[in-house]
Amino acid sequence: QVQLVESGGGLVQPGGSLRLSCAATGSIFSIRSRGWYRQAPGKQRELVAAITTRGSTNYADSVKGRFTISTDNAKNTVYLQMNSLKLEDTAVYYCNTVAWVTYWGQGTQVTVSS
């Protein structure tokens, strides 16, 4: 059974950086896109960034210029580099992979606080 395993979350001060990783255990066929979502307390889950197999990217307006999504196909891993973090970036971050089935990770907490 395929699982997405996230890592890299934690506590960081405003202006700091974190890199999230999401590794797939097992092979996923016919991948269409991979992405990162986040959910803050009391809010709906929202798209942060996504990347297609052709390398096209899409970012939420709130993170453009600060976050970068990338993949390492050899490692079956997707990354989210987060720079210039703000208090409002605090949330649980989830990765997903869209294929014939959509897979979700378990989530990793990112807390931006001084």
Side-chain angles (χ1 to χ4, degrees):
Q1 184 176 356
V2 173
Q3 290 185 323
L4 302 184
V5 181
E6 296 138 341
S7 60
L11 174 64
V12 65
Q13 292 185 339
S17 298
L18 284 175
R19 189 176 82 152
L20 305 183
S21 300
C22 173
T25 62
S27 298
I28 302 176
F29 299 99
S30 302
I31 293 176
R32 300 173 187 175
S33 67
R34 306 188 73 170
W36 289 92
Y37 287 71
R38 67 186 180 188
Q39 187 167 18
K43 294 187 177 181
Q44 289 188 331
R45 189 175 297 189
E46 63 175 358
L47 174 68
V48 176
I51 184 167
T52 69
T53 53
R54 294 186 177 185
S56 297
T57 56
N58 181 35
Y59 294 93
D61 288 342
S62 59
V63 307
K64 284 181 181 177
R66 300 188 297 121
F67 291 10
T68 303
I69 188 170
S70 61
T71 58
D72 184 333
N73 292 329
K75 295 182 178 180
N76 212 0
T77 299
V78 60
Y79 303 97
L80 185 68
Q81 178 66 44
M82 305 185 294
N83 299 327
S84 302
L85 283 161
K86 303 177 180 180
L87 297 176
E88 53 264 40
D89 293 320
T90 295
V92 178
Y93 284 70
Y94 300 89
C95 67
N96 89 335
T97 297
V98 178
W100 293 112
V101 176
T102 298
Y103 300 90
W104 288 93
Q106 80 285 356
T108 185
Q109 177 70 46
V110 172
T111 302
V112 184
S113 175
S114 57

